[in-house]
Amino acid sequence: MNLNRVFAIANNSFREVVRDRILFIIGFYAVILAIAARLLPQLAAATEDKMFLDLGLAVMSVLSLIIAVFVGTGLINKEIEKRTILMLISKPVSGNEFIVGKYLGLSIVLALLVVAMSAIYLIFLQINNISYSLSSIIINAIFLILQLSLVSAIAIAWSVFTGSILATALTFAVYLIGNITQDLLKLARISENPGLERITQGLYLLLPDLSRLDLKNEAVYGLSALPQHTTLLIDASYSLIYITMLLTIATFVFSRKEF
């Protein structure tokens, strides 16, 4: 793999995503927080601080997820539909360089998006005199970036197999199931149904456990609520291993497609 070609594709993908005015989502996020800061004291005077903390993190997660899924599933298919893929593969660009470059470009945009929204979130917390744990919010942002990077890898992998619309639906499905696989396992054990247990265990092993990368609740309640450092390191490593596996599969399939 030639890193210069990978970074060139990543840079091009980054510019392409930014040109689509994706970063306007940052302004939209600021508007939502401004409205929430004004309305929440009128709706729930006793719990407004906790509600604002929850809302800010939840909206950040949802907005960045939408970008990861819709842009991720369109990155490859857009090149195929516009036939620009023919120019790329006619040059000395391998399948893995193309996939990894596209993935890195999107991941950088998502990381910048999360950093910018986290900064806006902290500014609003400061302005409204809401107590918070800076360390826990930073850790949440890091794990949100990891989660979005994993979702992006899922989106790109699906887009190599199928069209943008179906890839989008499948990526959202994996995201939703990936956040509740642990709950499904517990329900299956309670039901004492062997068939259901096998199905849920299969889903748990096959699909990524995205709940391991979701630290929104822990961020609200501070450092004491966060998992141990060892657990955090294991969960971060888990996401990187899964991303590598998905990109390897995507590269393998892409390199065998005919255009």
Side-chain angles (χ1 to χ4, degrees):
M1 183 186 294
N2 187 305
L3 291 180
N4 289 331
R5 288 198 288 262
V6 170
F7 290 138
I9 294 170
N11 181 54
N12 181 66
S13 297
F14 176 84
R15 292 172 181 273
E16 181 185 342
V17 174
V18 171
R19 275 200 301 269
D20 285 339
R21 301 180 181 179
I22 293 302
L23 297 182
F24 279 131
I25 205 77
I26 297 170
F28 182 58
Y29 178 69
V31 170
I32 292 175
L33 290 189
I35 294 170
R38 184 168 291 273
L39 290 181
L40 286 179
Q42 302 173 29
L43 298 175
T47 58
E48 62 184 82
D49 287 2
K50 278 287 185 285
M51 288 182 69
F52 188 88
L53 283 165
D54 277 329
L55 180 68
L57 295 175
V59 173
M60 186 191 306
S61 179
V62 170
L63 291 178
S64 50
L65 171 68
I66 291 171
I67 301 301
V69 175
F70 281 98
V71 176
T73 53
L75 271 181
I76 308 298
N77 283 315
K78 190 184 294 184
E79 299 282 2
I80 295 172
E81 289 167 6
K82 290 181 177 179
R83 312 305 291 173
T84 50
I85 188 68
L86 296 175
M87 289 188 294
L88 285 168
I89 61 176
S90 64
K91 297 176 181 179
V93 176
S94 63
N96 61 340
E97 290 169 349
F98 179 72
I99 295 292
V100 172
K102 286 287 185 181
Y103 169 77
L104 285 178
L106 176 56
S107 296
I108 293 169
V109 172
L110 291 169
L112 290 176
L113 200 61
V114 171
V115 169
M117 288 194 287
S118 296
I120 292 169
Y121 178 63
L122 290 171
I123 290 169
F124 271 93
L125 293 178
Q126 199 68 36
I127 291 172
N128 291 282
N129 296 314
I130 297 173
S131 60
Y132 61 91
S133 167
L134 177 61
S135 299
S136 62
I137 289 174
I138 291 173
I139 292 171
N140 171 74
I142 292 170
F143 273 77
L144 177 57
I145 291 170
L146 286 173
Q147 187 186 71
L148 294 171
S149 298
L150 179 48
V151 171
S152 299
I154 294 168
I156 288 173
W158 278 126
S159 70
V160 171
F161 281 97
T162 184
S164 297
I165 296 175
L166 183 55
T168 299
L170 290 170
T171 304
F172 273 120
V174 171
Y175 175 82
L176 293 172
I177 298 171
N179 274 290
I180 61 171
T181 48
Q182 291 188 15
D183 296 326
L184 290 174
L185 274 176
K186 291 174 185 175
L187 285 173
R189 287 176 188 140
I190 293 170
S191 70
E192 297 182 352
N193 185 322
L196 186 59
E197 278 193 63
R198 281 195 293 271
I199 292 171
T200 54
Q201 285 172 356
L203 287 173
Y204 183 75
L205 292 172
L206 181 63
L207 300 178
D209 183 4
L210 294 169
S211 63
R212 299 169 67 164
L213 306 173
D214 186 353
L215 300 179
K216 290 192 294 293
N217 291 334
E218 289 82 352
V220 171
Y221 293 101
L223 279 175
S224 59
L226 288 170
Q228 297 293 324
H229 291 93
T230 305
T231 304
L232 291 174
L233 185 60
I234 290 171
D235 290 344
S237 301
Y238 169 84
S239 68
L240 295 175
I241 291 169
Y242 220 106
I243 287 168
T244 303
M245 183 184 70
L246 287 167
L247 293 180
T248 301
I249 294 170
T251 298
F252 178 80
V253 175
F254 180 80
S255 62
R256 280 154 181 76
K257 286 178 76 89
E258 294 184 2
F259 302 101

